[in-house]
Amino acid sequence: MSLPLLQPHEGPVPGRHYLASTLETVTWGWLPAEGTAPVAEMDSGETITVDTVSHEGIMEDQGRDPRSFFGRFGIDPADVLRDAAVIAAGYPVRDAAGDGPHVTTGPITVRGARPGDVLRVDFLELVPRAPYGVISSRHGYGALAGELPPPPYPGFVPDPGDPEKAGSVFAFCRASADGTGSLPVPGGRELRFPLTPFLGLVGVTPHGAVPLGSVPPGPFGGNMDVKDLVAGTSLYLPVQVDGAGLFLGDPHYAQGHGEVALTALEAPLRATLRVTVLPSAESRALLGMLDRPFGETSAHWIALGLHRDLNEAFREAVREALRVLTDLYQVPTDVGYAYLSAAADFVVSQVVDDVKGVHCLIRKSDFGAWT
């Protein structure tokens, strides 16, 4: 059975506040900058439900018309999200080569947040808004840029604006209510895989009046693509400006570690979050000297490394994991280094953005008797 369609302002909205993605509440390809007017305000500890919009289906190489694009795959115009269609039609002309792809919703002011504090974002619900999504492999990008994408084959649509090349190849996927996605394969077969929805892009407004592109993540968070941050997990973000200026976007239904083809299964989510300000002294007692995004699941701490060089991103993840062991558990560096080698898992978050990501999963249970 297919998933239901969640149009804006329709269906369950569990958060104390609700934020739709509109022409007034999103930026396309850029992050909010210091001084950007907030599109919503909330108090620490409150919840908010945000309807996020995927960039896939509305991009320039897809015609900037989601009804036409998804119509190629048999989707009725009434089954296309209205907010995606409005943003595609009404957003100002973009530099498709220079602007980032992501539709970013925000910034959201969290009253009382100040630089030096930490914003805790608890992902309470991440609900698919449509029964379909897209995996894209664009020419010149991805882990095998220059080798792939391949020539088109049934079920895939090449970029009509680049007929001389393989161009952009879009794989259309169905999403079912049983929590699985299906990807068509030539010969009438399909690949099925579990859906694990998460937001690829979550962050706080960076310092500075000049907006940053949406692609590279940084100390403020952003486009980190950490697939482990599903419903029931938390993300900690060092506040950069007064009010924090929370933003989010790049919704996914599923992703493999690495995201090698350029995108994962990109599709819109209704995200309900609890957002809490941790004052400086409280955050230091809980998390130590945090200067970058940091994740938590019921089973793991998640230490992140971010760098344009993948090897250096790996080293950054090791250094951050060692900081966690030192600050949270007072483990000497040499002992912690040995522990990480024997017991921790380092995984590649993604290799396709300008800034690459590696994250380390540290089991809390290994330190259960220490707390």
Side-chain angles (χ1 to χ4, degrees):
M1 185 174 69
S2 293
L3 291 163
L5 193 71
L6 283 178
Q7 293 284 12
H9 300 280
E10 297 180 4
V13 177
R16 168 70 176 82
H17 302 273
Y18 171 69
L19 178 61
S21 287
T22 69
L23 290 172
E24 293 73 35
T25 65
V26 305
T27 53
W28 190 353
W30 298 89
L31 304 180
E34 193 167 4
T36 300
V39 300
E41 296 188 11
M42 61 189 299
D43 288 327
S44 174
E46 290 187 326
T47 59
I48 186 168
T49 296
V50 182
D51 275 344
T52 63
V53 171
S54 175
H55 54 282
E56 293 298 344
I58 70 172
M59 290 289 291
E60 284 78 7
D61 60 0
Q62 296 165 331
R64 269 188 75 153
D65 181 353
R67 294 189 175 104
S68 174
F69 176 79
F70 287 116
R72 304 185 212 173
F73 303 100
I75 301 300
D76 187 275
D79 292 328
V80 173
L81 291 175
R82 291 191 295 268
D83 43 5
V86 167
I87 291 168
Y91 202 87
V93 175
R94 299 173 356 104
D95 176 3
D99 294 355
H102 310 101
V103 177
T104 302
T105 306
I108 302 164
T109 288
V110 185
R111 299 182 187 98
R114 299 287 183 269
D117 297 340
V118 169
L119 201 68
R120 173 175 172 152
V121 180
D122 298 319
F123 301 103
L124 304 181
E125 288 189 5
L126 297 167
V127 179
R129 297 184 59 206
Y132 53 82
V134 177
I135 305 169
S136 289
S137 183
R138 286 176 167 83
H139 183 77
Y141 297 94
L144 297 180
E147 297 180 43
L148 294 173
Y153 56 88
F156 289 70
V157 179
D159 174 11
D162 190 11
E164 301 302 318
K165 302 177 182 177
S168 303
V169 178
F170 309 118
F172 178 81
C173 297
R174 297 276 183 182
S176 301
D178 66 358
T180 60
S182 59
L183 178 63
V185 178
R189 300 172 296 163
E190 62 181 13
L191 281 168
R192 298 185 65 83
F193 51 90
L195 302 180
T196 53
F198 74 101
L199 292 168
L201 189 153
V202 184
V204 291
T205 298
H207 293 295
V210 178
L212 302 179
S214 68
V215 174
F220 50 84
N223 184 35
M224 297 175 290
D225 286 322
V226 177
K227 64 168 285 188
D228 299 280
L229 294 175
V230 297
T233 69
S234 302
L235 177 65
Y236 299 88
L237 298 163
V239 174
Q240 314 283 300
V241 302
D242 286 347
L246 179 69
F247 58 82
L248 53 154
D250 192 26
H252 296 68
Y253 285 5
Q255 179 185 299
H257 288 306
E259 200 181 22
V260 296
L262 178 63
T263 84
L265 176 47
E266 315 282 322
L269 291 172
R270 176 165 290 176
T272 299
L273 319 170
R274 179 181 291 110
V275 185
T276 306
V277 178
L278 302 180
S280 178
E282 181 181 342
S283 70
R284 289 185 182 183
L286 176 66
L287 305 169
M289 295 295 292
L290 186 67
D291 65 355
R292 67 184 63 212
F294 182 64
E296 180 183 12
T297 75
S298 60
H300 295 94
W301 296 112
I302 303 177
L304 278 73
L306 301 168
H307 200 276
R308 284 185 165 84
D309 183 298
L310 184 59
N311 288 329
E312 189 57 34
F314 201 112
R315 296 184 188 101
E316 285 294 312
V318 175
R319 295 182 186 110
E320 175 64 0
L322 287 171
R323 183 201 68 79
V324 171
L325 297 179
T326 299
D327 285 2
L328 274 61
Y329 300 112
Q330 294 74 54
V331 176
T333 301
D334 57 341
V335 177
Y337 199 35
Y339 165 80
L340 293 176
S341 194
D345 290 318
F346 288 83
V347 294
V348 176
S349 314
Q350 52 76 25
V351 296
V352 295
D353 297 330
D354 179 42
V355 173
K356 313 299 188 292
V358 174
H359 63 275
C360 174
L361 299 165
I362 301 172
R363 276 188 304 275
K364 292 179 179 178
S365 61
D366 292 352
F367 303 90
W370 294 35
T371 57

